[in-house]
Amino acid sequence: MEQNRSSFSGKLGFVLAAAGSAVGLGNIWRFPYLAAKYGGGIFLLVYIALAVTFGFALALTEIAIGRKTKLSPIGAFSSLNKKFSFIGILGSIVPIIILPYYSVIGGWVTKYFVGFVSGNASLMAGDSYFGDFIGSTGEPVWYFLIFIGLTALIVLLGVDKGIEKVSKIMMPALILLILIITGYSLFTLDGAWEGVVYYITPDFSKFSVMTVVAAMGQLFYSMSIAMGIMVTFGSYLKKDVSIEKSVYQIEFFDMGVAFLSALMIVPAVFAFSGGNEEAMSQKGAGLMFETLPKIFDTMPGGNIIGAIFFVMVFFAAITSSISLMETVVSTITDKFKLNRTLSCLVVFLGSAAIGLVSAFGYSIWADVKVLGMQFLDLFDFASNSVLMPIGAFATSIFVGYVLKPKSIIAEVEGLDENGKPYHTFRAKKMYSIIIKYIAPVCILLILISSVLDALGIVKI
Ligand code: PHE
């Protein structure tokens, strides 16, 4: 079994593969709208603080557990301790919830790409265009089915390696394009610079518990942690690669793309809304789709730039949806001993059915709200603000008090044939403190407050 496990060819291969899974709609679509909604600079500050502490500790833990056990999540946790195998199971449920609604948004991206290619730039810049689009019963559903169908086809045919190659070129190109769009909007839109100030200067009066709740959910989602994915990546990792350095690099990519995407979007929204912060906090999932077409509309060659931009976002999204679907397919294949083709079909049909709920959530089911949320937001909340924090909490208790941090530290340091550590683990003191004390206490508090808030018991 162990000998058959292929490994990443080199250090960079691992970092790029993990970053490819991490960088996706979470960075380009989700981060900017949360930053706009939760007070700009203060959200950014809280996010960075959480990323370099919790994010770092949890990603490192998962990769180390994967490399130590050489197993996928369910097997990995149960091989370490039977009582804690539920962490692996919990983690495997998360991608099942995320994949369907992720693909609904992937469908929106596809629609916008098609729209720009067919020369509809100015139509799409209209105020009610996005609302009308998601409020209709036809197109959002078809585009969703196209996106998830394509993901399933790629997973079934096993051509994800080809996609990965393409996205290695697309990713740097996307970053470049984001910089160009940002530059254009900052220098042409009135009031955009005040928007930059709003985005990067923390205003502590805007701090609330909800800022932390949102930032933490975003961190889990964006870094693909607390769902077993990093365990799987770690299981393919060779001993001579430093886990600590890799985590720094993955975080750098992930935060970099999120930071830049929000720099492209938040100041522009600020400018379009005339600096009205009240209006900014009302913004939601549609932000990227409403703001960018407005920028492209005024830009010379906006049709082409819009098309190129959305095709790149499409690639970033599909690499993530492939990695989500791969995880679900391999869980189902292992658990129910199905063959891969059948598993793919089951996952495709199941996700299509669950995703339809989100896709119809803005049209025929627009009035149905659970806990005050639309379906898409509800799924997003259940995975990012409930299941992932529970998984992360359980992981920190397990590693902090049962497995003990020293065993993760030993895996990170690695021993060569003379029994000497391969790598120095510079942040090991900080790591132990976070995983034992800070992570469990903070995650628990955040989890409780977000659930109480959703149930309407306490308004935070
Ligand atoms: N991290 C991805 C993003 O930011 C989402 C994702 C989650 C991808 C889990 C794979 C697995 O879009």
Side-chain angles (χ1 to χ4, degrees):
M1 174 82 183
E2 208 164 287
Q3 299 89 296
N4 293 337
R5 220 166 173 85
S6 59
S7 27
F8 290 103
S9 43
K11 185 171 152 30
L12 200 61
F14 169 70
V15 171
L16 287 179
S21 158
V23 174
L25 292 173
N27 311 61
I28 308 162
W29 154 76
R30 204 172 184 277
F31 185 86
Y33 98 68
L34 292 177
K37 189 170 173 153
Y38 291 104
I42 189 71
F43 179 81
L44 184 65
L45 183 73
V46 172
Y47 185 81
I48 294 174
L50 293 179
V52 297
T53 51
F54 291 163
F56 164 74
L58 287 165
L60 181 124
T61 303
E62 290 194 17
I63 296 173
I65 287 181
R67 186 166 79 178
K68 189 177 165 69
T69 58
K70 300 257 179 298
L71 292 168
S72 45
I74 299 186
F77 281 98
S78 67
S79 83
L80 292 172
N81 190 312
K82 277 257 163 315
K83 282 206 201 94
F84 284 85
S85 53
F86 76 90
I87 300 180
I89 298 171
L90 205 64
S92 337
I93 298 173
V94 173
I96 299 179
I97 301 177
I98 295 184
L99 175 64
Y101 85 81
Y102 198 88
S103 305
V104 172
I105 300 154
W108 298 352
V109 171
T110 317
K111 153 82 187 173
Y112 272 65
F113 164 66
V114 172
F116 277 104
V117 169
S118 31
N120 287 338
S122 40
L123 202 65
M124 298 164 85
D127 273 339
S128 59
Y129 186 86
F130 178 75
D132 292 344
F133 160 60
I134 58 168
S136 65
T137 45
E139 281 200 325
V141 174
W142 290 118
Y143 281 108
F144 154 64
L145 291 174
I146 291 172
F147 188 88
I148 190 130
L150 220 54
T151 305
L153 204 65
I154 293 167
V155 171
L156 181 66
L157 300 177
V159 291
D160 16 338
K161 288 285 160 302
I163 300 290
E164 246 162 53
K165 280 214 187 88
V166 180
S167 81
K168 268 184 204 157
I169 306 163
M170 288 287 189
M171 211 60 100
L174 175 66
I175 296 176
L176 191 70
L177 194 59
I178 291 178
L179 287 173
I180 294 172
I181 300 168
T182 308
Y184 176 80
S185 82
L186 292 186
F187 288 104
T188 60
L189 295 179
D190 265 353
W193 286 102
E194 283 101 85
V196 174
V197 173
Y198 171 79
Y199 173 48
I200 57 176
T201 342
D203 174 352
F204 288 91
S205 69
K206 294 205 190 85
F207 179 86
S208 77
V209 181
M210 258 345 253
T211 316
V212 189
V213 171
M216 169 151 289
Q218 171 62 17
L219 177 67
F220 293 150
Y221 185 90
S222 185
M223 287 283 295
S224 314
I225 45 186
M227 53 181 107
I229 290 194
M230 286 294 165
V231 176
T232 312
F233 274 117
S235 71
Y236 296 111
L237 190 60
K238 288 194 188 143
K239 283 271 180 233
D240 57 353
V241 178
S242 158
I243 298 182
E244 187 185 20
K245 282 203 195 116
S246 306
V247 173
Y248 290 140
Q249 284 160 350
I250 299 165
E251 284 205 302
F252 178 76
F253 268 108
D254 195 55
M255 274 204 270
V257 178
F259 175 79
L260 291 177
S261 303
L263 190 62
M264 165 179 72
I265 294 177
V266 177
V269 189
F270 194 87
F272 290 133
S273 64
N276 181 347
E277 293 182 15
E278 185 66 27
M280 309 261 307
S281 64
Q282 308 291 320
K283 295 294 175 191
L287 190 60
M288 173 175 104
F289 301 93
E290 288 161 350
T291 310
L292 289 177
K294 285 198 171 52
I295 303 179
F296 295 139
D297 191 35
T298 69
M299 221 171 166
N303 250 324
I304 301 168
I305 297 180
I308 300 175
F309 176 81
F310 278 102
V311 81
M312 287 172 178
V313 176
F314 175 84
F315 270 95
I318 203 138
T319 45
S320 292
S321 67
I322 291 168
S323 109
L324 283 163
M325 192 179 273
E326 274 286 357
T327 319
V328 182
V329 167
S330 69
T331 308
I332 302 234
T333 314
D334 286 357
K335 208 85 223 116
F336 301 103
K337 309 267 171 290
L338 294 182
N339 71 36
R340 223 182 122 79
T341 312
L342 202 57
S343 295
C344 280
L345 192 67
V346 170
V347 174
F348 167 67
L349 291 176
S351 310
I354 303 172
L356 282 181
V357 178
S358 296
F360 282 129
Y362 296 95
S363 50
I364 40 180
W365 288 325
D367 294 332
V368 189
K369 296 230 165 99
V370 184
L371 301 176
M373 287 177 253
Q374 231 123 16
F375 284 115
L376 193 146
D377 293 332
L378 181 72
F379 287 121
D380 191 81
F381 173 80
S383 57
N384 304 332
S385 303
V386 182
L387 287 180
M388 293 200 228
I390 295 177
F393 172 73
T395 307
S396 57
I397 294 290
F398 172 55
V399 173
Y401 299 94
V402 183
L403 190 66
K404 302 279 158 65
K406 64 174 189 302
S407 105
I408 297 293
I409 292 171
E411 181 58 40
V412 173
E413 290 182 330
L415 295 181
D416 63 14
E417 46 298 350
N418 306 319
K420 287 227 183 67
Y422 231 135
H423 308 283
T424 36
F425 184 177
R426 281 181 295 155
K428 68 178 167 193
K429 280 236 171 59
M430 179 181 102
Y431 169 76
S432 304
I433 296 171
I434 294 174
I435 211 80
K436 277 183 93 151
Y437 308 109
I438 304 181
V441 174
C442 295
I443 297 173
L444 195 65
L445 288 178
I446 293 169
L447 176 66
I448 295 173
S449 31
S450 77
V451 172
L452 290 183
D453 180 73
L455 296 177
I457 299 175
V458 191
K459 265 280 144 282
I460 51 176

